[in-house]
Amino acid sequence: MNVKKHLTLTRAGIIESLQFRLSSLVIIAGNFIYLIIVYYLWKAIYASVDTESVNGMTFSDTLIYLVLATSLFGFMEMYLVWQMGRDIQSGKIILDISKPMKYMPFMFWSLSGSVVMSFIMTFIPTFVAVYFLTNGAIHLGINILFFLISVVFAIIINFSIDFFIGTVCLYTESIWGINIMKEVIVLLLSGATIPIAFFPEPLKTIVLYLPFQSIYNVPLTILTKSEMPVEEVFKMMLTQVFWAAAAMLISSLFWKKSLKVITVNGG
Amino acid sequence: MDKIIEIQNATKEFKVLNRREGLRGSIKDLFSRNYNIVRAVNDISIEIGSGEIVGYLGPNGAGKSTTIKMMTGVLEPTSGKILVNGNVPYKNRTKNAQEIGVVFGQRSQLWWSLPLIESFKILKDIYQIEDSDYNKMMEFYRSLVDIEPLLHKPVRQMSLGQRTLSDILAAFLHNPKVVFLDEPTIGLDVSMKSKIRVLIQALNCEKNTTVILTTHDMGDVDALCRRVVIIDKGKMLYDNDIDHLKNFFGSYRTLKIRLDEICDRDEKTLKEISQKLSEEMSEEFSGDKNPAVSTDNEWINVLVNEDKLAVMDALNFIQTKHTIKDMKLEEISTEDVIKKIYEGGV
């Protein structure tokens, strides 16, 4: 693998997202409003019960989890389905396919730049803010390193799922409905909107066997529960590795197969 | 001359759902299995030598883009064989991509929000172009066009002409063996068109790059292509030199005359006179010889097939009947021939 070939795309993505300063500000503002809603929603939920903690999570546990989940979403979401859908509809995808690179890595590395940028611009500030506001409720230690590794796998899984859905657009030639469905399913089952601890029992077990919880639940649990034994962390990360490999394989096979039957629009 | 592209009996079929009308029809379509097989490309064979510029022409929807997509490896032919520079495009897509360049007039492969020079640098890394080759190429570009002001301009701020020019330069950057240009001059003004033609000509000449050009502008064809391939409804209609094309329907010339009788240039009288002339001509010249007479604003056009009838004979004959005030002789244009072929003159 030629590293330069791929990193040049990351570099381009970073420069590209630096061109749109206003857009990143708007995204930060949007996230902030979302967090205010989350804050009052969960405040109401906790006010309605007498106990200090619900399902083993206190109010501040839940809030830290959800704030971090939101900012994790902010940089992991690559909007790949939208982009693939648009490129398919406009026919621009032909130009990307006729590059001397496989299409899936081409897209991954093209989008990686904006991931790096939003990680720096939104996740790190949020993390620092949460750390100080909660007076160090998040432990700073080896768990940070595990978290970062786990995030990389999460990004790969998320990207592969998106790529799979994007490929479906080759058949449907429409994007909106499919993408909304995907977003709702992924965000719910991954524990990004509601912590998995709050799920009712049978669903909780099912979710743990699905790939989605590897995207948000695993990295966030690793980050926030520093008291977790190392074996437990490794077990979680192994599940991630398994899902990353499986999702990548399935998506690239599906893409390869789909390309044979498609008709690309235009001309 | 060595062959760089070989297409043998290539056919591409698409499955298209038969759509029904209205809301009810659309709902029924959701469960429909009623497909039609559409043959976009039907049994086409072409051989192209390296360094050629070939005009690939056809009316809208003729299957041009489908053929190009097969050559770039995006589509797999349903049957038949395609070789581009020794590669089977859809099997060795990445390897093939390294040796071809693609320009679509209506789309851009450049990075939209970045200055052009950044796009060039990215392409340099993706195609793994050596520094020395890259610098040489840039030097060559500088000698051809004034790119300095473009290099630091974001692509989204460019005019269509500048963007197309940049896209063409980007496609040639890795010194590909073959470049596919799909309607590169679409929507451009006259001066930009001629700039782009000069550029394509120069790149082809200097680097001996094979160019496959699809266009609807016959000016492009006249300026660039010595060979023309015409397809329609997926079938090949013509594959030969452009000079032969002009003789495709016989060697036609248009004799334009203005007669003394038409002083006020009234359209009605002009029509009447041309009608009269037409009758006179058909009495004199029978069968194949008989030229077609039509009118435009001021002129009476007599379309003469020179294989059958000398223009001078026609002129002499008209002179015996009318007083000719003015005349000129016009070659039939590529555009007219192509139009005739498209309209089913074959």
Side-chain angles (χ1 to χ4, degrees), chain A residues 1-235:
Chain A
M1 190 172 88
N2 186 304
V3 183
K4 203 174 168 196
K5 204 168 171 174
H6 299 93
L7 286 184
T8 191
L9 291 170
T10 310
R11 188 176 147 275
I14 292 177
I15 304 175
E16 233 169 359
S17 42
L18 284 172
Q19 309 273 328
F20 299 106
R21 283 170 299 181
L22 192 63
S23 137
S24 1
L25 284 180
V26 171
I27 291 173
I28 292 171
N31 281 343
F32 185 69
I33 294 168
Y34 174 74
L35 288 177
I36 293 173
I37 298 169
V38 167
Y39 176 84
Y40 284 107
L41 178 71
W42 287 91
K43 210 176 154 124
I45 293 172
Y46 275 89
S48 67
V49 290
D50 299 328
T51 47
E52 176 95 340
S53 72
V54 181
N55 296 314
M57 286 177 91
T58 63
F59 176 59
S60 75
D61 283 345
T62 310
L63 211 59
I64 290 170
Y65 180 96
L66 287 172
V67 169
L68 292 177
T70 308
S71 58
L72 212 56
F73 172 79
F75 79 87
M76 287 212 303
E77 180 60 49
M78 297 174 164
Y79 300 101
L80 174 68
V81 184
W82 291 118
Q83 183 157 355
M84 279 177 77
R86 264 202 314 268
D87 289 351
I88 289 164
Q89 281 180 340
S90 73
K92 199 225 160 207
I93 197 165
I94 302 168
L95 289 166
D96 294 338
I97 295 175
S98 48
K99 290 271 178 333
M101 254 174 108
K102 288 213 165 87
Y103 182 66
M104 193 166 157
F106 178 80
M107 284 318 267
F108 181 81
W109 292 98
S110 294
L111 293 168
S112 63
S114 72
V115 172
V116 172
M117 274 317 288
S118 351
F119 180 77
I120 296 168
M121 305 245 303
T122 64
F123 184 77
I124 291 182
T126 317
F127 181 78
V128 171
V130 168
Y131 182 78
F132 284 108
L133 288 174
T134 57
N135 296 319
I138 302 168
H139 178 71
L140 295 182
I142 189 81
N143 60 333
I144 302 286
L145 180 69
F146 288 145
F147 166 74
L148 289 176
I149 298 169
S150 160
V151 160
V152 173
F153 290 123
I155 290 172
I156 294 173
I157 297 169
N158 195 32
F159 172 84
S160 303
I161 292 173
D162 273 17
F163 192 84
F164 187 92
I165 304 293
T167 309
V168 174
C169 290
L170 281 175
Y171 297 92
T172 62
E173 290 178 22
S174 91
I175 327 159
W176 201 81
I178 294 171
N179 195 40
I180 295 294
M181 192 180 80
K182 177 231 109 190
E183 250 167 46
V184 169
I185 291 177
V186 170
L187 288 181
L188 182 70
L189 296 185
S190 62
T193 24
I194 304 167
I196 288 182
F198 284 82
F199 284 17
E201 197 35 66
L203 187 61
K204 204 194 256 173
T205 324
I206 295 170
V207 162
L208 289 179
Y209 284 104
L210 292 175
F212 307 108
Q213 63 101 17
S214 285
I215 304 173
Y216 290 98
N217 188 46
V218 170
L220 286 173
T221 312
I222 290 174
L223 181 65
T224 51
K225 290 204 177 131
S226 51
E227 71 279 4
M228 221 170 27
V230 180
E231 299 86 71
E232 192 69 17
V233 174
F234 282 154
K235 221 173 110 191

Side-chain angles (χ1 to χ4, degrees), chain B residues 91-131:
Chain B
K91 279 195 187 138
N92 319 337
R93 194 200 319 279
T94 6
K95 189 158 175 282
N96 185 48
Q98 185 71 40
E99 287 156 6
I100 61 169
V102 191
V103 175
F104 290 97
Q106 287 150 309
R107 298 166 198 124
S108 180
Q109 65 156 330
L110 302 168
W111 276 254
W112 204 240
S113 51
L114 301 186
L116 181 60
I117 186 77
E118 295 292 344
S119 287
F120 280 2
K121 281 185 189 157
I122 296 166
L123 290 171
K124 173 180 177 283
D125 288 341
I126 290 181
Y127 285 97
Q128 297 171 292
I129 308 168
E130 297 290 331
D131 286 341

Side-chain angles (χ1 to χ4, degrees), chain B residues 203-329:
Chain B
L203 287 164
N204 161 263
C205 218
E206 177 74 24
K207 302 285 170 191
N208 199 35
T209 315
T210 309
V211 175
I212 315 290
L213 172 78
T214 75
T215 180
H216 292 298
D217 187 331
M218 291 313 136
D220 294 347
V221 179
D222 282 326
L224 292 170
C225 311
R226 211 170 301 152
R227 178 174 164 199
V228 173
V229 176
I230 303 176
I231 69 165
D232 188 20
K233 301 193 184 81
K235 282 209 175 106
M236 201 139 93
L237 298 182
Y238 181 89
D239 177 9
N240 209 331
D241 291 349
I242 192 156
D243 300 330
H244 285 92
L245 186 66
K246 294 203 172 167
N247 300 331
F248 196 56
F249 296 101
S251 41
Y252 283 94
R253 275 174 160 183
T254 310
L255 177 63
K256 305 191 110 182
I257 51 175
R258 202 180 273 164
L259 301 179
D260 215 14
E261 294 135 70
I262 320 156
C263 312
D264 52 355
R265 287 173 194 170
D266 174 4
E267 211 172 303
K268 214 177 138 200
T269 35
L270 193 65
K271 278 246 169 69
E272 277 166 15
I273 293 168
S274 86
Q275 185 68 37
K276 201 174 136 207
L277 185 65
S278 175
E279 279 160 19
E280 288 164 357
M281 297 272 264
S282 58
E283 272 171 35
E284 178 72 18
F285 310 107
S286 57
D288 290 349
K289 278 183 171 183
N290 187 24
V293 182
S294 60
T295 56
D296 55 33
N297 301 330
E298 298 157 25
W299 298 92
I300 294 176
N301 301 330
V302 182
L303 189 67
V304 183
N305 183 349
E306 281 201 291
D307 290 343
K308 308 284 180 196
L309 175 68
V311 175
M312 281 317 288
D313 291 346
L315 198 61
N316 278 335
F317 171 73
I318 299 168
Q319 217 162 12
T320 60
K321 302 274 176 183
H322 305 269
T323 320
I324 298 175
K325 201 173 130 200
D326 195 4
M327 66 140 291
K328 61 181 178 182
L329 202 55

